[in-house]
Amino acid sequence: MRADIKKPHTPEAEITLADVIASPFKGLKGKDFWVCMGLVAFLALISGRMIILGTRDHISHVVPRLPIVERGSIYDRKGLLLAQQVETFTLDIWLPDLQDLAPDETEKQAQERIAKTARALAPVLLWSADDLYKKLSNTEGSKNVNLLRKASKEMRDKVVALAKVNDIRGLRITADQSRVYPQGPLAANLIGYVNLDNQGGDGLEYSYERILAPAGLDQIYRDRVTGSSIELTIDIPLQSILERKMLQALRENKADAGIAIVADAKTADVLAYVSVPTYDPNYYNLASQEERLNRPAVQTYEPGSVFKIFTIASVMDTGRVKANDTFYCPGFYRIDPGHGEPIIIKCTGVHGEQNVAQVLANSCNTGTAAISARIGANEFYRRLRKFGFGSKANIHLPGETTGLLSEPINWSIRSKPTIAMGQEVGTQAMQIVQAATAITNGGVMLKPRIVRKVVDGNGKVVQEYPRQMVAEVLSPGVANSVLGMLELGVDAGIARKMRVPGFRIGAKTGTSQTYDERTKTYSTTNYTASTLAVFPMQDPLYIVYIVIFNPRGKSYYGANIVAPLIGELAREMIPLYGLPSSGIFALRSRSRSRNPEASPLNDKKQVQYLPNFVGMNRTELENFFKINQYLSHFILGEGKIVTEQFPPAGTLVTPNITVRLEMREEL
């Protein structure tokens, strides 16, 4: 209690600007006084105007520092609001005003008044009345008690009303500009947050700080500064669907984290950008570092077999490998170092003779290593660099990493085939998506785009970000050939759990062990499961890339946990975007076909490579060959199910090809 101070309480008194400025310099005379006053005036000018304090009705209304910066908003591609600036209020109590004795007031009465203040404010502010009383009656330490930050106008009015009714003294109200995120956690890791100083703390809020909230000496004479708004490429409905599915996938697979990106295959517009676990930027201070991590831009990991797409494309573009070249897989790849024991790289199975498309569809390590043997280390490195690996995708997000691609001088004898399979190389998700645009755009790689345009406070577009070509990395023929191979991976390869009846998808799955920096070895428990998909294949519109880190459920393979997830996403995107399908999914449905792995292809364009007929029944065969009448075939046996076929699935279709099918009662 400040019982020693007996000055009268005068509600109508005001402290003038001159009093505030001059009070520290009382006693100074002549030149010294004016030098100090000039310095203070300059500092006040560059930091914003001085506040004026008043105590009318026991409330100190604090005018905010000027200029007021109205931060620009953030919208999705259709104008839906993702971030908005609103006026909020900081509520404080200045203890000297509260604790000073009023005329004829005893110390006991003052204590009762402070207790009454605590009881009146505590329920509204969700404080404990005892805790608030202790803070308000404290005579040591800070003279100010913060009651609430980012209070709404309604909360401010309620507290002001309480102050008048309950004779609450020393209440100070400061008008602030606060950031509100109407969609809550949606796209939070991309958007970022704004801290208590109204500055971008992460994500686009940080990267576009000067656009959203311009500041500088040219603004100091203005009372209010309005920032420009930014319009993103993100589509909120798709973002919402994908975030829901990813959170569910993390729970079901007992995984640590995940990344999911959907991009426009023709423009590289990022339509959905997911990093889970995530957080609510309205309450960013409650989030952990893991929840705030912007994984698609900053997390580097070994991509696994997804990388085989870019290995095969790179070697084919040299002309040293043709689509119909064949490679024999005995279940391993052998490297003879010339001295010592041979190096053996295991394959995912014994695949026998297979062409390039089958190598990719079966994710054959042996075939991929043999393909990489046809290109020199320096040229292989140069072509991977051209795809963007080892460099930032330059998506203008803080902390974006370059990944890891060592120069050939640092490679060991097994590095080239190992890198070809997606190990001993580090990527981040946006690099994979960027590289995939070369496959969907005839060899032309595009820069991923997240911000579409900047709009000033008057609604005028001041800057647009057009579709941007990074480099021509492949010939159109090679790009289209590899694109066709991806469809075989879903039709007859290990990505078949992604199948959606009546809808054409191409994909490559991946599974990689996680390198343990502590033990300097690969973990036997932690894996990265991923899949890169493109659809619809007759005219690719979307690139989907999903990564799940350290799944500990029933499986850790990308083919088992990520491929089906993309299939489910495709089912929801078909009606959302009106994608071409056979009509099975005219309405949203979670239903699956009775035998999805035996679903036939539906038009001539689909038969670039022979599908897998094994498991089909006679009705399915008749439907297939009725649509694809130009394909010759004959059937051996009177059974109900196809048990063998020749040529095998994945064979390149030629004009004179004839398919032989053997049918038995059961597989």
Side-chain angles (χ1 to χ4, degrees):
M1 174 62 63
R2 295 170 54 89
D4 58 313
I5 300 178
K6 299 292 185 180
K7 68 179 182 181
H9 178 70
T10 53
E12 303 299 324
E14 288 191 351
I15 303 173
T16 68
L17 178 62
D19 292 335
V20 173
I21 294 176
S23 58
F25 305 108
K26 287 181 179 178
L28 292 178
K29 296 181 180 180
K31 181 179 179 182
D32 292 337
F33 173 82
W34 291 110
V35 167
C36 291
M37 287 295 289
L39 177 61
V40 170
F42 173 73
L43 293 173
L45 182 64
I46 64 173
S47 62
R49 298 179 186 175
M50 244 337 177
I51 60 174
I52 300 177
L53 305 178
T55 57
R56 183 184 302 275
D57 296 327
H58 315 306
I59 302 168
S60 299
H61 293 283
V62 182
V63 180
R65 289 176 59 182
L66 299 177
I68 297 173
V69 177
E70 291 186 358
R71 197 175 183 89
S73 298
I74 300 177
Y75 300 92
D76 87 332
R77 67 187 299 111
K78 296 174 183 174
L80 296 175
L81 199 60
L82 289 164
Q84 181 183 26
Q85 198 78 349
V86 296
E87 186 176 48
T88 59
F89 303 89
T90 297
L91 309 181
D92 299 292
I93 282 189
W94 181 246
L95 292 182
D97 285 350
L98 176 70
Q99 296 173 353
D100 285 353
L101 298 179
D104 302 324
E105 186 179 37
T106 67
E107 289 187 34
K108 182 178 180 180
Q109 289 172 330
Q111 287 282 14
E112 290 175 351
R113 176 171 50 78
I114 293 172
K116 180 182 176 182
T117 295
R119 289 194 300 271
L121 291 176
V124 177
L125 302 173
L126 300 180
W127 277 68
S128 159
D130 290 341
D131 289 344
L132 184 56
Y133 173 72
K134 290 177 183 177
K135 285 186 174 291
L136 296 181
S137 58
N138 182 39
T139 58
E140 299 178 358
S142 175
K143 305 296 185 185
N144 186 72
V145 172
N146 175 248
L147 299 176
L148 187 64
R149 288 189 174 93
K150 295 189 175 183
S152 64
K153 182 179 182 297
E154 290 73 21
M155 176 64 79
R156 180 204 63 178
D157 292 345
K158 188 179 292 186
V159 172
V160 167
L162 285 172
K164 291 179 179 179
V165 172
N166 295 278
D167 189 31
I168 297 175
R169 302 172 183 174
L171 180 64
R172 293 184 171 188
I173 300 174
T174 307
D176 301 313
Q177 291 291 316
S178 295
R179 202 62 160 170
V180 173
Y181 301 91
Q183 307 297 333
L186 203 69
N189 304 80
L190 171 64
I191 296 167
Y193 60 89
V194 170
N195 62 27
L196 293 176
D197 295 324
N198 201 29
Q199 296 175 336
D202 205 348
L204 295 171
E205 292 277 28
Y206 178 88
S207 300
Y208 285 79
E209 174 75 16
R210 293 189 177 183
I211 290 175
L212 292 166
L217 288 176
D218 59 327
Q219 309 288 0
I220 63 176
Y221 298 103
R222 299 170 58 182
D223 289 342
R224 189 174 295 269
V225 176
T226 302
S228 294
S229 297
I230 58 176
E231 181 183 303
L232 308 185
T233 59
I234 298 298
D235 186 19
I236 284 181
L238 180 61
Q239 179 77 22
S240 180
I241 290 170
L242 193 53
E243 285 197 16
R244 169 171 50 82
K245 288 188 174 297
M246 287 298 294
L247 288 169
Q248 181 181 349
L250 253 62
R251 289 192 299 270
E252 291 178 351
N253 294 287
K254 302 175 184 177
D256 289 347
I259 292 170
I261 299 168
V262 179
D264 186 309
K266 297 184 184 298
T267 65
D269 280 4
V270 177
L271 304 174
Y273 184 105
V274 176
S275 177
V276 287
T278 186
Y279 69 103
D280 188 336
N282 291 297
Y283 310 101
Y284 73 91
N285 56 310
L286 302 179
S288 67
Q289 186 175 354
E290 276 291 300
E291 290 169 330
R292 293 205 302 257
L293 187 63
N294 186 6
R295 289 179 179 80
V298 308
Q299 186 156 348
T300 298
Y301 55 92
E302 292 192 357
S305 294
V306 165
F307 202 74
K308 292 172 181 175
I309 298 171
F310 311 109
T311 294
I312 290 173
S314 295
V315 182
M316 284 183 66
D317 202 56
T318 67
R320 299 186 185 107
V321 169
K322 306 292 185 184
N324 57 357
D325 287 354
T326 59
F327 302 87
Y328 182 76
C329 171
F332 61 89
Y333 183 74
R334 178 189 176 107
I335 303 173
D336 187 356
H339 55 84
E341 293 293 321
I343 296 170
I344 303 298
I345 298 176
K346 293 182 180 180
C347 193
T348 55
V350 178
H351 299 111
E353 198 79 19
Q354 53 189 344
N355 60 27
V356 178
Q358 291 168 316
V359 168
L360 192 59
N362 295 325
S363 198
C364 177
N365 290 342
T366 303
T368 305
I371 289 171
S372 72
R374 296 193 181 181
I375 189 173
N378 289 327
E379 186 172 6
F380 186 39
Y381 172 80
R382 181 179 63 81
R383 285 183 173 271
L384 292 180
R385 290 282 297 177
K386 199 171 181 181
F387 262 116
F389 299 113
S391 303
K392 292 181 180 180
N394 291 319
I395 53 175
H396 304 302
L397 287 172
E400 184 185 358
T401 55
T402 62
L404 178 63
L405 180 61
S406 299
E407 295 183 6
I409 194 172
N410 298 316
W411 292 4
S412 69
I413 192 171
R414 64 175 294 159
S415 290
K416 183 150 64 80
T418 302
I419 290 171
M421 293 180 280
Q423 296 180 346
E424 206 177 312
V425 57
T427 63
Q428 44 104 321
M430 294 308 299
Q431 289 176 333
I432 296 288
V433 172
Q434 177 177 265
T437 63
I439 307 298
T440 61
N441 284 276
V444 175
M445 189 169 73
L446 305 177
K447 178 182 176 182
R449 181 172 62 167
I450 293 175
V451 177
R452 296 179 70 187
K453 61 181 71 170
V454 177
V455 182
D456 68 15
N458 298 317
K460 180 183 177 183
V461 176
V462 294
Q463 187 171 358
E464 291 190 78
Y465 298 90
R467 177 180 184 269
Q468 184 176 341
M469 184 182 88
V470 178
E472 188 172 345
V473 298
L474 299 171
S475 68
V478 168
N480 293 333
S481 180
V482 173
L483 183 64
M485 293 177 187
L486 291 177
E487 189 167 12
L488 181 64
V490 177
D491 178 56
I494 63 173
R496 55 186 175 273
K497 289 187 178 180
M498 193 188 300
R499 287 178 179 172
V500 176
F503 189 65
R504 298 176 56 192
I505 307 177
K508 180 70 194 79
T509 63
T511 307
S512 62
Q513 291 176 282
T514 301
Y515 188 75
D516 190 331
E517 286 290 346
R518 183 179 57 84
T519 62
K520 303 300 180 183
T521 60
Y522 282 95
S523 170
T524 58
T525 57
N526 292 339
Y527 294 84
T528 300
S530 63
T531 297
L532 176 66
V534 176
F535 55 77
M537 289 301 290
Q538 60 267 40
D539 182 22
L541 298 176
Y542 301 101
I543 296 168
V544 180
Y545 183 51
I546 294 181
V547 187
I548 295 180
F549 297 101
N550 302 331
R552 299 182 181 89
K554 294 180 180 179
S555 177
Y556 54 79
Y557 291 107
N560 291 338
I561 63 176
V562 183
L565 177 61
I566 295 181
E568 291 178 8
L569 177 66
R571 283 174 165 85
E572 297 215 34
M573 289 178 66
I574 289 169
L576 182 65
Y577 294 118
L579 301 181
S581 68
S582 63
I584 296 173
F585 294 92
L587 298 174
R588 280 191 197 185
S589 172
R590 293 181 179 271
S591 64
R592 295 176 180 268
S593 64
R594 179 181 59 81
N595 185 13
E597 292 191 12
S599 300
L601 304 173
N602 290 320
D603 61 54
K604 290 185 179 182
K605 292 181 182 178
Q606 292 173 314
V607 193
Q608 251 188 310
Y609 302 91
L610 282 182
N612 184 12
F613 293 104
V614 175
M616 286 190 184
N617 58 39
R618 287 187 178 271
T619 301
E620 290 169 328
L621 282 179
E622 288 173 4
N623 290 337
F624 176 84
F625 287 109
K626 185 176 180 181
I627 293 170
N628 301 283
Q629 295 180 12
Y630 60 94
L631 267 179
S632 299
H633 74 285
F634 64 91
I635 297 175
L636 299 173
E638 301 297 328
K640 298 177 181 178
I641 302 294
V642 177
T643 57
E644 292 185 26
Q645 76 176 77
F646 184 85
T651 299
L652 192 66
V653 173
T654 57
N656 299 320
I657 195 169
T658 298
V659 184
R660 187 192 72 192
L661 303 166
E662 185 169 340
M663 303 194 72
R664 297 179 184 176
E665 287 301 314
E666 58 184 23
L667 285 172

